[in-house]
Amino acid sequence: MRILWVKADKLLPVQNGGNIRSYHVLRRLASQHELTFLSYYAGQQDRNYEEELQQELPGAVALCTGDRELSGLARGIDYLTHIGNAAPYAVSRFARDDVRSRIAGWFAEKCFDVAVCDFLDAAVNFPEKLTIPSVLFQHNVESEIWRRHAETERNFVRKRMYIVEFRKMLRYEQEAVRNFHHVIAVSENDRSLMTQWVDGDRITVVPTGVDLSQYSPGPSATESSPLVMFVGAMDWEPNVDGMEFFCREVWPTIQAQVPGARLRIVGRNPGKRTERLASDSIEVTGLVPSVVEHLRESSVVVVPLRIGGGTRLKIYEAMATGKAVVSTTVGAEGLEVHHGEDIMIADGSQVFAQAVIMLLRDRNLRSKFEKAALTTAARCDWPAIGDRFADVLQAVATEKALLVETLAEGIR
């Protein structure tokens, strides 16, 4: 197959969940098919990124749009300039004329058998009329994330902003899901949400995987100093919200009942809200060279998310290192895991705290969950996931090609 894959922003370094998922699928596709990966990014031209991208994915096209990277106050001002747009800011800020022109040219020339739009934000640069079989890769149902933001936000101004963006995102996402020929979701829950907008036959679930060559068990955690671990990018609002909730409402109970327990928050770009969580018993590491060693040191891994969508790779990564995991329902949403067997699902601060306490106190119980976690993770190696993704692309490309041929026969 000749595959075009379009992604907004940089793929490398592979740090966040979406990039991890895309990277492993892309590597598998590139090993078996003719793949062209288009990555466009803001800021100054990054020669190191472009060279590394060529090494990882030969033939990749990297477009530097030259736009200034925004953060803080500048991002807020930019948001206000886009507030009148029908499209949500999370999408409209990625619209680029040069990217649209490049993609439109490829579509006009029919250079590919199938095209993949990676995340909803890249969809803004796809042609309105898709003349090549096109697949939308939905790592999340974005509107669901914004809905949960609006529900849980306490600050009045941010809450109003989330409500506005949720409504825009819902309209935009519904249109995109209907426009693309097929959608790949990462969980049955996401598929269920999107089948309210389009026929279920047009949505296929390709689940999340884990790199078993990288994530594997290490020495057992030190019994004398129980360590609770959270791993996740700390510049992603659902992670920040989750850890604020955990530290405020869950951790004091655990500390009171398990003397000497420590909490380590591992993840890049912790802001002031996360740094304020640090204390004598809570460590905030920031970016680390590898999370594997940190996971191996842990006694229990927690995923106390209250908002978010898609699936959390961090759970399978923890399981692959042989760790017992406690998660909220939202945190484990969409994963093929089972409460009481390979994971503990706990909603509410006291229930969550007691689940962690039981695992910290009972080594035999923890061992049972650790063994079950390893068995679950073993079924999710990335090469197998990449092959399932390729099967969907091949089916979409074949189906559309047959439709075009049938129409041509009818005309003759």
Side-chain angles (χ1 to χ4, degrees):
M1 269 187 301
R2 298 170 302 162
I3 304 169
L4 170 65
W5 187 298
V6 180
K7 174 176 170 46
D9 223 335
K10 296 178 180 177
L11 175 68
L12 308 173
V14 181
Q15 293 178 332
N16 62 55
N19 280 5
I20 292 170
R21 188 182 288 113
S22 295
Y23 172 81
H24 286 287
V25 173
L26 281 162
R27 286 292 300 268
R28 186 64 174 177
L29 293 177
S31 71
Q32 299 178 329
H33 301 277
E34 185 180 330
L35 175 75
T36 297
F37 175 66
L38 170 62
S39 164
Y40 62 98
Y41 63 95
Q44 296 181 338
Q45 187 168 16
D46 187 339
R47 296 289 187 186
N48 291 333
Y49 167 67
E50 295 181 7
E51 290 173 5
E52 186 179 358
L53 189 63
Q54 283 295 328
Q55 293 174 3
E56 295 284 354
L57 297 168
V61 177
L63 290 180
C64 176
T65 61
D67 303 279
R68 186 163 59 94
E69 293 184 281
L70 303 175
S71 61
L73 179 60
R75 174 62 60 83
I77 294 172
D78 190 57
Y79 171 74
L80 291 176
T81 66
H82 287 77
I83 201 166
N85 291 1
Y89 179 69
V91 171
S92 62
R93 70 189 184 93
F94 287 101
R96 298 291 182 273
D97 289 339
D98 52 349
V99 177
R100 284 175 174 165
S101 178
R102 178 68 67 97
I103 297 173
W106 279 329
F107 269 72
E109 296 170 8
K110 302 233 177 16
C111 297
F112 301 95
D113 300 310
V114 64
V116 178
C117 176
D118 191 3
F119 277 98
L120 192 66
D121 47 23
V124 71
N125 293 311
F126 271 66
E128 290 186 15
K129 185 176 182 181
L130 300 172
T131 55
I132 294 174
S134 299
V135 174
L136 175 62
F137 186 13
Q138 282 275 73
H139 298 251
N140 311 289
V141 177
E142 299 292 340
S143 56
E144 184 67 4
I145 295 176
W146 288 97
R147 183 187 67 78
R148 289 173 174 170
H149 274 309
E151 283 185 351
T152 59
E153 180 56 55
R154 297 177 179 181
N155 179 278
F156 176 78
V157 175
R158 283 204 297 265
K159 189 179 186 70
R160 294 307 304 171
M161 184 270 286
Y162 287 146
I163 291 172
V164 170
E165 290 301 302
F166 159 66
R167 291 171 178 167
K168 288 184 177 183
M169 183 64 77
L170 182 61
R171 289 192 296 270
Y172 186 88
E173 192 165 30
Q174 288 175 340
E175 291 176 3
V177 166
R178 291 167 183 153
N179 189 43
F180 279 83
H181 300 120
H182 203 83
V183 176
I184 291 180
V186 298
S187 73
E188 286 294 343
N189 182 71
D190 284 4
R191 181 181 183 276
S192 177
L193 289 169
M194 289 185 285
T195 52
Q196 299 175 46
W197 311 333
V198 71
D199 190 278
D201 291 343
R202 290 176 56 188
I203 307 173
T204 302
V205 174
V206 177
T208 284
V210 63
D211 185 356
L212 296 181
S213 66
Q214 179 182 5
Y215 292 88
S216 60
S220 298
T222 304
E223 293 295 325
S224 60
S225 183
L227 177 61
V228 177
M229 185 82 64
F230 175 82
V231 176
M234 296 314 297
D235 54 1
W236 194 49
E237 176 61 26
N239 287 343
V240 178
D241 172 83
M243 291 317 296
E244 286 181 329
F245 158 73
F246 184 83
C247 293
R248 181 180 64 245
E249 301 184 27
V250 181
W251 186 241
T253 302
I254 296 173
Q255 269 196 299
Q257 297 191 38
V258 185
R262 295 177 295 120
L263 170 64
R264 185 180 298 167
I265 302 171
V266 179
R268 61 180 169 83
N269 298 336
K272 291 181 180 179
R273 288 166 60 192
T274 303
E275 290 173 346
R276 281 197 292 265
L277 301 176
S279 68
D280 291 342
S281 65
I282 301 175
E283 176 188 3
V284 178
T285 69
L287 180 66
V288 297
S290 171
V291 301
V292 179
E293 297 307 319
H294 288 273
L295 285 170
R296 287 172 177 167
E297 291 177 9
S298 67
S299 304
V300 175
V301 175
V302 295
V303 187
L305 299 193
R306 303 188 298 174
I307 52 180
T311 55
R312 257 58 64 187
L313 280 76
K314 60 174 69 72
I315 289 182
Y316 279 165
E317 291 171 351
M319 286 182 160
T321 57
K323 296 301 171 181
V325 179
V326 180
S327 173
T328 56
T329 299
V330 170
E333 200 170 62
L335 297 179
E336 295 179 3
V337 295
H338 303 89
H339 171 58
E341 297 179 16
D342 52 13
I343 193 171
M344 295 190 77
I345 303 296
D347 294 309
S349 57
Q350 289 306 307
V351 178
F352 203 105
Q354 290 306 315
V356 176
I357 290 166
M358 281 194 298
L359 289 170
L360 291 177
R361 285 178 168 177
D362 190 335
R363 184 67 188 88
N364 291 331
L365 178 65
R366 192 161 79 244
S367 179
K368 169 198 164 188
F369 277 92
E370 289 170 349
K371 291 175 182 177
L374 281 170
T375 300
T376 296
R379 297 193 294 265
C380 305
D381 202 10
W382 276 120
I385 301 301
D387 289 343
R388 291 172 67 172
F389 203 104
D391 289 343
V392 177
L393 298 186
Q394 184 67 71
V396 173
T398 301
E399 177 188 353
K400 295 304 172 185
L402 288 174
L403 177 61
V404 170
E405 184 178 333
T406 300
L407 290 173
E409 287 291 335
I411 293 172
R412 287 198 291 268

